[in-house]
Amino acid sequence: MFSDSWHRVSSECVRLNPAVSMNRQVFRGQVWYLLRDPLNNEYFRITPEAYAFVGRLKGDRTVGDVWQECLALFPDEAPGQEEVIQVLSQLYRANLLQSDLAPDSRQLFERQRKTKTQKLRGQAANFLFLNIPLFDPDRLLTVLRPFFKPFLSPIGFLVWLGVVGSAIWTAIGHIDDLADQSSGVLAPSNLFYLYASTVLIKVFHEFGHGIVCKHFGGEVRKAGVMLMLLTPLPYVDATSSWGFRRRWQRIAVDAAGMGSEFLIASIALYVWLTTSDPLVNRLAYNVMFIASISTVLFNANPLLRFDGYYIFSDLFDLPNLYQRATRQLKFLGERFLFGGKKIVSPAHAQGEASWLTIYGIAAFIYRIILLVFITYYVAQGFLGLGVAIAGFCVFLYFLVPIGKLIHYLVTCERLDRHRRRAFSVTAILLICVVGIIGFIPFPRSFRAAGVLNPAKETVVYAASSGAIAELLVDSPQVVKAGQPLVRLSNLELEFDIEGSIQQIDQLDTQIEEARRNQYGTVIGSLMGLVKARRMMLQELQRQREALLIVAPRDGIWTSPQSREMVGTWAPRGTEIGRIFDPNRFEFVSVVPQKQSGNLFDNQISGSEVRLYQEVGQVIPVKTQEVTPAGQARLPTAALGWLAGGAIQIKKGDNSGMIAAEDFYLVRSQLDFPSGRLPDSARITGQIKFRLPPEPLRFQWSRILRQTFQKGKDS
C-alpha cells in the first residue's frame, strides 16, 4: 500500500494528454481500459482501478490528493502507492501524461533514457525481423476500400469459403502430382521464381490486413519493407485494430492476410491444372506453394509473433501474450526458486497462469531452435555472415541475460531476505547445466541421402506393338514366372493374320487346281509362296501371343506409370515395368566428406532407412559396404540440386550428376518387413547412421569445426 518513493510524486500535478483516446474492453470476463497514443499508434492496457485513479488526474490537483480521494471512495479496490508510481512512470515514458515534473521526479521515471533503451533493445532482439517504414498507405487504402467492400460481407465470406473449400478438395485429388513437383521447389533454377512469388503473395497478404482494418474503422499509417530472415518483404502496420472492442473484428483483421493467401492459392491451383505453358505452370505452382504450405507452417505459427500469434491471443483472450508469458516465467522463478514473496503474477484470470507458463516455455525453446537453424543455414553459404549472426545471438541471448541475472541477484530489493538462497539456487542450476552439456552422453547420429536399388531386376518390354488395354496385376505385387501382367490390343495385327490365312487358303486352292490340270511347273512356285506365307503367319501369331505380357521370372512386379499408360500406344520395345528380386534390396547413400571419419573408425552402431515415398516406415539394414575411394558422380540425378535433391551440384554441370565435392558411397542391404514392399525401384530417401553417445560439448564443438573448415575450403 505504501512506498518509500511516494514523496517524490505525491506533490506533482499531472493529467492525461488530451489526444489520448480510451476504449473499454473485456478479456475473460474482466474489464480493462485501453489507452491509445495517436502520435505513435501505441496501446497501453490498465485495470479499472488504475483508470479510476488516472481518470481523476485533471492537472488541478496533486497526485497525493487524487490518491486520497480514491482511497476514500474505493477503500478495497484503490491502487497502492507502489502501483500508482508504476502506472504514472509507464504513462509518462509513453508520452501519455502532461506535466512540468521536478528534476527529482524526472530522475525517478528516467523517461528519455529508458525509452531509447527499450526501442534499441526491441530492434536488437528482432534483428532478423526488422521493419523499415517507407510511406503512409491510409489514403490508398481509403480509395481501394469500396472495391473490396463486397468481399467483406457475409456473402463474400461464403464465396471465399466455397472457392477455398473446392480447391482443397481438388488438391486432395491431385496430391500425388503436387507432391511430385514439390521436389523441385528449392532447386537453384527455381529460386528466382520462388522469391518473386513470395513478394507478390505478401503484397496481397499485407493489403488484406490493411483493407479489413480500414473496413472496421481503423487507421493504417505505416507501410514499408520487413527484413524477414534478411529477405526484403512488404508489410503494413494494422495495429490500430487492437483498439476494436469486438473480438471477432480483431480476429478478422488478424486472419485477413492468410485468407487472402488461401484465395490466391486456390486460383493458382486451377491455373496450374489447366495451363500447359511451362513458365505459367511453374509460377502458378510457386504461388500455390508459398500461399498455402509456407503460410500454414510459418505465418500461422502462434509461437512467432505473426498472424497466428495475434489470432491465438484474441481467440483465447490473452492480450500481450508474449510479454506476460515472459513475466510469468520470471514470477515462477523468483517465487518458487528464490523464495521471493513480493512479486505478483501477471495472470489476471483463472487458467491464465497455465496458458502463460506453457506458452513462455514453448516460445523460448522454439526461438532458440529457429535462431540456431537460421545461423547454421546461413553459415553454410556465407561463413562470415553466419559467424556474425552467431556472435550477435550469443551476446544477445546468453551474455546479456547473464549480465541481467547477475545485476538482478545483486541489486533487487525483493531478494533482500532471500539473496543467499537466490545465489545458491542459481549456482546449482548453473552446475546442472554445465554437467548436462559437458559430461552426460547424449545419443548422436547423422543422415545421408540415397536411392533404393534392387540387387537384381529384369526390365519387361513390349515384345509387340499395341495399345495397352488392361492391367492384369496391380503394382507392386509378387508374381510368378509366366503369370500374365498386361494385355495389349492391336486390331491391325488381327487384320494381318486374317489376311494371311485367306492368302494361304487361296494358294492351297490354286495348288489343288494345278495338280488336277497337271501344271507341274506352277506347283513348285505356288508351294514356295505357301511356305513364305505360313512363316509370315507364324510370326504374326507370335506377335499376337506377345500382346499378353507375362512375367519372365519370379519377383516383385512394379510399374508406377502403368495406370497412366492404359489406352496409349506402346511401340515394340517400350518399357512396361520391371521385376526385381524381393529378397535383395540395397540402399546406395551419399556420405559427405565431413562425416567420412565416422565410416572408417568403426563408430557406426546401427542404421535404418526411411524412403520419402513412405516416411513412416523404418527399414532395418542387414549389412553395409563402404566404397573406400571418394566419388564425384551421383548414383542418380534425383539426389542433386537440379532435381530438388540435397546434394550440391558442380557449377556448369547440366546433367545434375556431378557433385560439388567428393563423397563416399555406402551400399546397405535392406531387410523389408514381410508384406511391406516398395512400389518401385530407385526411390530416394535417407539413411540414419547411429553413433556412440557423446556429451553435447563434443558434438557442438565438432559441428563448429566442420562449419569453419567448410567455410575456409569454399
Side-chain angles (χ1 to χ4, degrees):
M1 178 60 68
F2 300 99
S3 173
D4 296 336
S5 303
W6 181 248
H7 67 282
R8 300 165 69 181
V9 297
S10 61
S11 60
E12 301 293 341
C13 296
V14 298
R15 59 171 295 180
L16 278 177
N17 193 314
V20 174
S21 60
M22 183 274 296
N23 284 327
R24 182 177 180 271
Q25 293 183 340
V26 179
F27 295 100
R28 292 180 173 265
Q30 185 175 357
V31 177
W32 292 84
Y33 288 89
L34 198 68
L35 305 180
R36 176 177 178 263
D37 176 14
L39 182 62
N40 298 316
N41 197 29
E42 295 180 344
Y43 292 83
F44 302 88
R45 194 168 59 106
I46 61 177
T47 63
E49 295 78 15
Y51 181 74
F53 169 79
V54 173
R56 286 176 165 78
L57 296 174
K58 304 298 183 181
D60 55 351
R61 292 187 296 170
T62 66
V63 171
D65 293 339
V66 174
W67 181 72
Q68 290 291 344
E69 179 183 343
C70 291
L71 197 62
L73 293 175
F74 318 107
D76 295 329
E77 293 83 9
Q81 293 178 355
E82 190 69 35
E83 184 179 354
V84 169
I85 292 176
Q86 183 179 3
V87 170
L88 290 178
S89 63
Q90 291 175 352
L91 294 177
Y92 191 78
R93 286 198 303 268
N95 295 320
L96 300 184
L97 287 182
Q98 282 186 346
S99 173
D100 294 328
L101 293 179
D104 188 43
S105 298
R106 290 195 185 97
Q107 183 180 4
L108 172 66
F109 295 132
E110 300 180 16
R111 176 184 179 185
Q112 194 66 23
R113 184 183 66 81
K114 289 190 176 181
T115 300
K116 291 183 178 180
T117 301
Q118 288 178 353
K119 289 184 178 180
L120 292 175
R121 187 182 302 164
Q123 292 178 356
N126 295 281
F127 70 100
L128 294 177
F129 304 94
L130 290 178
N131 291 342
I132 304 175
L134 298 179
F135 67 99
D136 184 348
D138 196 73
R139 182 177 299 179
L140 175 62
L141 294 175
T142 302
V143 174
L144 294 177
R145 178 176 170 268
F147 298 97
F148 290 92
K149 189 174 181 180
F151 298 97
L152 303 178
S153 63
I155 296 177
F157 176 74
L158 292 177
V159 172
W160 177 89
L161 200 62
V163 173
V164 174
S166 63
I168 294 175
W169 182 260
T170 304
I172 293 175
H174 295 79
I175 190 67
D176 293 335
D177 297 331
L178 292 170
D180 291 340
Q181 192 165 342
S182 65
S183 59
V185 168
L186 296 179
S189 60
N190 190 61
L191 293 181
F192 172 78
Y193 301 100
L194 190 67
Y195 176 70
S197 302
T198 302
V199 174
L200 176 65
I201 289 297
K202 294 308 174 185
V203 168
F204 285 98
H205 176 106
E206 296 301 324
F207 272 88
H209 288 307
I211 290 292
V212 177
C213 185
K214 288 290 295 182
H215 178 72
F216 291 124
E219 293 184 353
V220 182
R221 293 296 183 180
K222 291 182 182 179
V225 175
M226 175 175 62
L227 297 179
M228 185 182 343
L229 307 182
L230 307 180
T231 303
L233 294 172
Y235 90 96
V236 298
D237 183 2
T239 53
S240 61
S241 63
W242 296 355
F244 296 163
R245 296 184 61 181
R246 298 182 179 180
R247 178 170 59 174
W248 69 268
Q249 292 180 342
R250 300 195 298 270
I251 294 177
V253 176
D254 298 335
M258 290 189 292
S260 303
E261 293 197 26
F262 289 143
L263 180 62
I264 295 174
S266 303
I267 298 174
L269 171 66
Y270 293 115
V271 173
W272 177 74
L273 290 173
T274 56
T275 185
S276 58
D277 184 83
L279 178 59
V280 177
N281 188 275
R282 173 184 287 189
L283 287 175
Y285 187 87
N286 281 282
V287 169
M288 179 175 49
F289 181 85
I290 292 296
S292 56
I293 304 299
S294 65
T295 297
V296 172
L297 295 180
F298 189 77
N299 212 17
N301 187 350
L303 297 179
L304 295 174
R305 296 173 69 181
F306 294 112
D307 295 345
Y309 166 82
Y310 296 107
I311 293 175
F312 184 85
S313 299
D314 288 325
L315 193 62
F316 294 97
D317 273 345
L318 295 169
N320 298 330
L321 176 59
Y322 182 81
Q323 295 87 342
R324 294 169 63 214
T326 304
R327 289 167 51 199
Q328 174 68 10
L329 295 181
K330 182 179 179 181
F331 160 77
L332 293 176
E334 185 171 330
R335 171 65 63 86
F336 298 103
L337 293 180
F338 298 163
K341 302 298 182 182
K342 295 183 179 181
I343 189 170
V344 179
S345 171
H348 300 290
Q350 186 177 5
E352 274 195 346
S354 300
W355 279 109
L356 296 178
T357 303
I358 295 173
Y359 182 86
I361 296 174
F364 175 78
I365 295 175
Y366 185 81
R367 183 178 290 266
I368 295 299
I369 293 176
L370 182 63
L371 287 173
V372 171
F373 173 78
I374 293 173
T375 304
Y376 179 77
Y377 180 79
V378 172
Q380 296 299 307
F382 307 95
L383 180 62
L385 181 59
V387 172
I389 294 177
F392 194 77
C393 290
V394 170
F395 172 78
L396 187 64
Y397 291 98
F398 292 97
L399 298 183
V400 171
I402 290 175
K404 289 183 177 180
L405 176 62
I406 295 174
H407 182 267
Y408 163 76
L409 293 174
V410 173
T411 63
C412 182
E413 296 179 357
R414 294 190 301 270
L415 298 179
D416 286 341
R417 299 182 180 181
H418 313 280
R419 203 172 304 279
R420 179 176 298 178
R421 174 177 173 176
F423 275 104
S424 301
V425 171
T426 303
I428 293 174
L429 291 177
L430 181 62
I431 293 173
C432 292
V433 170
V434 172
I436 291 174
I437 295 177
F439 300 99
I440 297 179
F442 280 83
R444 63 189 183 106
S445 61
F446 70 94
R447 289 177 171 83
V451 60
L452 179 69
N453 282 337
K456 292 182 179 180
E457 67 175 344
T458 302
V459 181
V460 178
Y461 298 99
S464 180
S465 300
I468 299 178
E470 184 180 3
L471 303 178
L472 303 177
V473 176
D474 292 331
S475 171
Q477 187 169 320
V478 178
V479 296
K480 298 292 184 182
Q483 181 177 345
L485 303 175
V486 179
R487 183 175 61 82
L488 308 180
S489 64
N490 190 334
L491 294 179
E492 184 179 354
L493 183 60
E494 295 293 338
F495 292 148
D496 291 342
I497 292 175
E498 185 65 26
S500 297
I501 293 175
Q502 292 178 0
Q503 290 177 2
I504 292 174
D505 291 341
Q506 291 177 359
L507 290 173
D508 288 340
T509 303
Q510 292 177 6
I511 291 174
E512 291 297 329
E513 185 177 352
R515 285 176 177 172
R516 287 196 302 270
N517 296 329
Q518 297 182 352
Y519 295 146
T521 56
V522 179
I523 294 175
S525 61
L526 291 175
M527 293 184 65
L529 289 175
V530 169
K531 183 177 180 181
R533 296 297 181 185
R534 290 187 184 279
M535 292 177 61
M536 182 180 296
L537 177 61
Q538 291 177 355
E539 174 61 21
L540 293 174
Q541 290 175 337
R542 186 194 64 78
Q543 294 182 21
R544 182 170 63 179
E545 293 176 356
L547 292 176
L548 181 64
I549 301 177
V550 299
R553 57 186 292 269
D554 295 347
I556 298 176
W557 161 251
T558 173
S559 181
Q561 306 298 325
S562 58
R563 294 191 178 277
E564 289 78 4
M565 296 170 63
V566 173
T568 61
W569 184 262
R572 183 179 179 181
T574 301
E575 180 179 335
I576 304 298
R578 295 173 182 245
I579 295 179
F580 48 87
D581 189 346
N583 299 316
R584 295 189 60 188
F585 285 100
E586 66 176 13
F587 187 81
V588 182
S589 54
V590 176
V591 178
Q593 291 278 357
K594 64 180 182 180
Q595 300 291 354
S596 60
N598 296 318
L599 298 176
F600 300 104
D601 294 342
N602 296 321
Q603 295 193 46
I604 305 299
S605 59
S607 305
E608 60 184 34
V609 171
R610 292 178 185 265
L611 304 177
Y612 292 137
Q613 192 178 63
E614 190 176 355
V615 295
Q617 179 182 1
V618 178
I619 308 170
V621 174
K622 293 191 293 187
T623 59
Q624 282 181 336
E625 178 184 353
V626 181
T627 304
Q631 306 288 318
R633 188 175 183 83
L634 297 173
T636 175
L639 298 178
W641 275 8
L642 291 182
I647 308 301
Q648 183 178 355
I649 302 301
K650 187 177 181 179
K651 293 182 179 179
D653 175 40
N654 296 325
S655 67
M657 296 284 289
I658 308 301
E661 60 180 19
D662 288 350
F663 56 84
Y664 289 90
L665 282 180
V666 179
R667 301 182 182 274
S668 305
Q669 302 298 322
L670 303 185
D671 184 14
F672 272 93
S674 58
R676 303 297 297 274
L677 302 174
D679 61 357
S680 65
R682 293 179 175 83
I683 309 172
T684 56
Q686 283 193 347
I687 183 171
K688 178 181 179 181
F689 297 96
R690 291 190 294 272
L691 303 173
E694 194 177 58
L696 292 177
R697 66 187 179 100
F698 294 119
Q699 299 184 32
W700 294 348
S701 63
R702 185 181 297 106
I703 293 175
L704 287 176
R705 290 197 305 270
Q706 292 173 350
T707 302
F708 277 104
Q709 184 63 39
K710 183 176 181 179
K712 293 178 181 179
D713 295 340
S714 60

